Structures are given as C-alpha cells and as structure tokens.
Amino acid sequence: MGSVGLAFPDKPDSRHRAELVQLMVHRDARGRGPRRALPTTAQRAAAAVGVTLPPWAP
C-alpha cells in the first residue's frame, strides 16, 4: 500500500524532534486514504519513542 519514513536527528538538543523524510503510496492504493493515514501512523510511532515536537506541529 505505502510507506513512510522518519528521521531522528542525532544532535543532543534535537532528541524531541522527528522529520518525515519519505512518503510513498503505491499507485493502486491512491485515492483510498493511505496518503493521510501514513503520516498519522508515523506521528504516533514518533510519540511512542518520546518525540514531543514534530515539525508538523503548529
């Protein structure tokens, strides 16, 4: 269906951040919702490992 990638900075003052670096959706899955679901899943995974300020925060 698709994949999403997160990058975690290695600087000591950036351990609370993560960055979405890649989002791919298979052409057969386009229009079925993974483009919205994958970033949400990545955000939850980042929060589970202690990321408190993602770049998508307002």
Side-chain angles (χ1 to χ4, degrees):
M1 168 184 289
S3 67
V4 63
L6 284 174
F8 297 93
D10 58 356
K11 296 179 182 177
D13 63 346
S14 297
R15 292 186 183 154
H16 62 285
R17 296 181 178 269
E19 182 178 340
L20 268 172
V21 293
Q22 186 174 13
L23 174 65
M24 296 184 296
V25 176
H26 191 277
R27 71 176 69 114
D28 294 342
R30 291 181 184 158
R32 297 184 188 171
R35 183 177 57 91
R36 290 189 179 144
L38 288 168
T40 300
T41 301
Q43 186 176 11
R44 289 181 184 148
V49 295
V51 171
T52 59
L53 184 60
W56 53 82

